[in-house]
Amino acid sequence: MERDQRPSAEKDQLPAADGVTSRTVGLLTEQPPTTGPQSISRRLWSERRIPAALTALAVAASAGTLLVDVIRVRAGQSAAAWRRHLAADLASRPLDDTLIQASGVVLAVLGLWLIVLAVTPGLRHRLPLQTPGAQMHAVLDRKAAELRMRDAAMRVPGVSAARLRFSRKRATARADVRFRTPADVQADLRTSLLHELDRLALAHRPSLRVRVRPRRP
């Protein structure tokens, strides 16, 4: 890709991937479609800092509190009141008790949530791009891609307003038609957006859905 072959001094001036600025979109517009062998970039994995920190804090607090009470018992003192109360309450409640079942459901949901976070990459707002080599990874912010597609839709004659939404496997375009036949505008709009998708060079190209409606006066 040409944008990966620019001098290092110019690369240092590029905006961050998270920022959707006019300069970011302008630089992307300047790049022609790439040709030749390319490598498909995989999605980047999120670091999951907040869930990891909350889980570590909860485990550390629970284990630390229990450890302090066990040390007190080993030192010859009596167990803490909360521990005796909890042990007596669990021993007296049957397994079909509502509180026991509700607590089990909550713990199961939390555990499933942590498993999902561990096996999924996250960062759904970043779209991986095709790159010249396997050692190179490039992403495009989802908002920037939507802005590029919306600008392409607004260049179609007859379109007065356009809205674009990217999902994991689909790009949905909705446009208002001010003049011309809606069917003709929809055909031209689809052609323009498909061309713009080619220019974006996404690693996983989404399917395109185009909807148009006449604009009421």
Side-chain angles (χ1 to χ4, degrees):
M1 299 177 67
E2 287 189 14
R3 58 176 173 270
D4 296 326
Q5 299 174 359
R6 293 175 178 268
S8 59
E10 185 175 350
K11 284 185 177 180
D12 294 336
Q13 299 176 359
L14 293 178
D18 288 337
V20 182
T21 64
S22 58
R23 183 177 180 186
T24 305
V25 178
L27 289 174
L28 290 172
T29 307
E30 294 175 1
Q31 309 306 322
T34 56
T35 58
Q38 297 176 348
S39 175
I40 295 180
S41 176
R42 298 181 178 180
R43 289 177 59 186
L44 300 179
W45 281 72
S46 173
E47 297 181 359
R48 312 289 192 189
R49 294 180 178 178
I50 295 179
L54 292 178
T55 302
L57 182 61
V59 172
S62 302
T65 303
L66 183 60
L67 180 60
V68 169
D69 191 62
V70 170
I71 293 176
R72 289 182 54 190
V73 172
R74 293 294 183 179
Q77 301 181 15
S78 60
W82 65 267
R83 185 179 173 190
R84 297 195 303 269
H85 177 74
L86 180 61
D89 193 49
L90 292 177
S92 60
R93 289 181 180 272
L95 294 179
D96 58 352
D97 184 78
T98 303
L99 181 59
I100 297 297
Q101 293 180 350
S103 302
V105 170
V106 171
L107 293 177
V109 170
L110 290 177
L112 181 61
W113 177 61
L114 292 176
I115 292 175
V116 171
L117 292 180
V119 300
T120 54
L123 297 179
R124 299 178 63 88
H125 63 285
R126 295 184 181 179
L127 304 174
L129 303 177
Q130 297 177 2
T131 55
Q135 303 301 324
M136 185 180 301
H137 298 280
V139 294
L140 176 64
D141 190 86
R142 188 185 301 270
K143 293 297 183 181
E146 293 175 353
L147 183 59
R148 282 285 308 275
M149 296 286 286
R150 184 187 66 82
D151 291 344
M154 292 299 297
R155 290 193 293 267
V156 176
V159 175
S160 60
R163 296 166 299 280
L164 269 298
R165 289 293 180 269
F166 269 87
S167 63
R168 184 177 180 182
K169 298 181 179 180
R170 178 176 297 172
T172 303
R174 295 179 173 86
D176 296 337
V177 180
R178 190 166 186 175
F179 60 92
R180 297 181 63 198
T181 306
D184 295 340
V185 175
Q186 184 175 15
D188 293 345
L189 183 59
R190 175 176 291 275
T191 301
S192 177
L193 293 180
L194 288 176
H195 176 69
E196 195 64 30
L197 278 177
D198 292 336
R199 291 177 59 84
L200 290 179
L202 298 177
H204 307 285
R205 177 170 175 166
S207 60
L208 179 63
R209 173 182 293 180
V210 178
R211 295 179 179 179
V212 298
R213 64 178 182 180
R215 183 177 180 181
R216 296 179 180 178

